[in-house]
């Protein structure tokens, strides 16, 4: 489970020995050396070693990629604009507009295999003739948003690449997505990439300076109807990075299994003091307008002071995706006053 979603992360199982459903030959991942990626072009072989130390080897650069929407958004930021033909995970809202986790990815260009947890249309996936499946990995070996009950069939259809996104600083998955994008043919020196990196680095330095002069306690949290979750800044990649820059986060005392957060009943939601609430803004979570009927919520000092900042708890692991997050946290700290 990642963050405040009462759902288990799927675990990577063994690849079944049977043939691919609806496809011909089974493409497999092999090897375990540490090269990041190579080859491509027209007719040349292609390889990439993911964060499971699995080397994916293909006859040519992948042209039909299916990706978790957060992965697709990150790769799009690094210049992969046409190869992603399918996506899964929270891509669109009920009104058809892009979900916040889609970032700038053009959702109308790709086939959706499922928009919510547990949804993954295997037949539709097979029809896309995928060369490569890409997703995040918040826990070792766990392919994010790949359902356990259909995982074997899914992993038979194409090689999978997993990028580690938990228990490491946010900089690491950003660099890994940059490397994967380059291996897939993107130009790392493209103007939009270099400008985004400059913005990210400038924002990071501003946050570093801000926290030295503003002694503000921040609590990263998420809300559901029954529980209030306090996230651990030592596990979440973005919070680890913000902590490295000097942000003072509440550290929960007793995290749930998986270590990402401590879940509290609403009667105990005031267990920790904070000046700013960094509140999960995913569409599956409750927002301030949804929480006014919770007595404990309304009594929290940060809520009374209206010091609540939206938190993209599943960040887009690219410089373009991360820079606005750093800037928003900086502004929240700059504008806050001590209330705890």
């Amino acid at each position: 489970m990642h963050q405040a979603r009462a759902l288990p992360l799927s675990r990577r199982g063994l690849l079944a020995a049977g043939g691919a459903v609806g496809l011909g030959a089974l493409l497999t991942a092999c090897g375990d050396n540490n090269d990041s990626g190579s080859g491509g072009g027209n007719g040349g072989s292609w390889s990439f070693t993911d964060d499971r130390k699995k080397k994916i080897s293909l006859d040519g650069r992948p042209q039909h990629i299916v990706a978790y929407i957060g992965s697709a958004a990150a790769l799009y930021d690094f210049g992969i604009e046409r190869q992603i033909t399918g996506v899964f995970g929270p891509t669109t809202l009920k009104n058809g507009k892009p979900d916040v986790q889609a970032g700038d990815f053009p959702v109308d260009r790709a086939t959706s295999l499922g928009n919510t947890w547990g949804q993954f249309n295997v037949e539709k996936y097979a029809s896309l003739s995928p060369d490569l499946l890409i997703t995040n990995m918040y826990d070792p070996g766990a392919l994010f948003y790949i359902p356990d009950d259909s995982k074997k069939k899914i992993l038979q259809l194409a090689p999978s690449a997993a990028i580690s996104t938990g228990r490491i600083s946010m900089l690491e998955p950003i660099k890994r997505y940059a490397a994967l994008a380059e291996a897939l043919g993107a130009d790392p020196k493209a103007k939009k990439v270099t400008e985004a990196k400059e913005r990210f680095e400038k924002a990071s330095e501003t946050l570093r300076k801000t926290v030295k002069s503003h002694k503000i306690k921040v609590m990263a949290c998420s809300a559901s109807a029954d529980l209030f979750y306090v996230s651990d800044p030592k596990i979440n990649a973005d919070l680890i990075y913000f902590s490295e820059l000097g942000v003072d986060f509440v550290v929960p005392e007793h995290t749930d299994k998986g270590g990402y957060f401590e879940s509290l009943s609403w009667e105990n939601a005031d267990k920790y003091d904070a000046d700013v609430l960094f509140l999960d803004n995913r569409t599956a979570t409750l927002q301030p307008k949804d929480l006014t009927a919770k007595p404990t919520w309304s009594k929290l000092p940060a809520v009374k002071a209206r010091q609540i900042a939206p938190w993209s708890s599943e960040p887009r692991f690219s410089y373009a995706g991360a820079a606005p997050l750093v800037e928003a946290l900086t502004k929240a700290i700059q504008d806050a006053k001590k209330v705890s």
Side-chain angles (χ1 to χ4, degrees), residues 220-265:
C221 52
S222 187
S224 71
D226 299 320
L227 295 169
F228 183 64
Y229 304 86
V230 178
S231 292
D232 191 343
K234 299 177 182 178
I235 302 293
N236 296 268
D238 55 340
L239 304 185
I240 291 173
Y241 181 64
F242 298 149
S243 296
E244 290 171 348
L245 296 176
V247 177
D248 183 16
F249 282 106
V250 168
V251 179
E253 298 171 355
H254 305 291
T255 56
D256 297 5
K257 185 179 179 180
Y260 277 97
F261 52 79
E262 177 178 357
S263 57
L264 302 171
S265 65

Side-chain angles (χ1 to χ4, degrees), residues 223-225 266 283 285-294 297:
S224 71
W266 277 107
T283 53
T285 64
L286 299 184
Q287 300 307 304
K289 63 180 175 58
D290 307 313
L291 296 168
T292 54
K294 303 284 187 186
W297 168 262

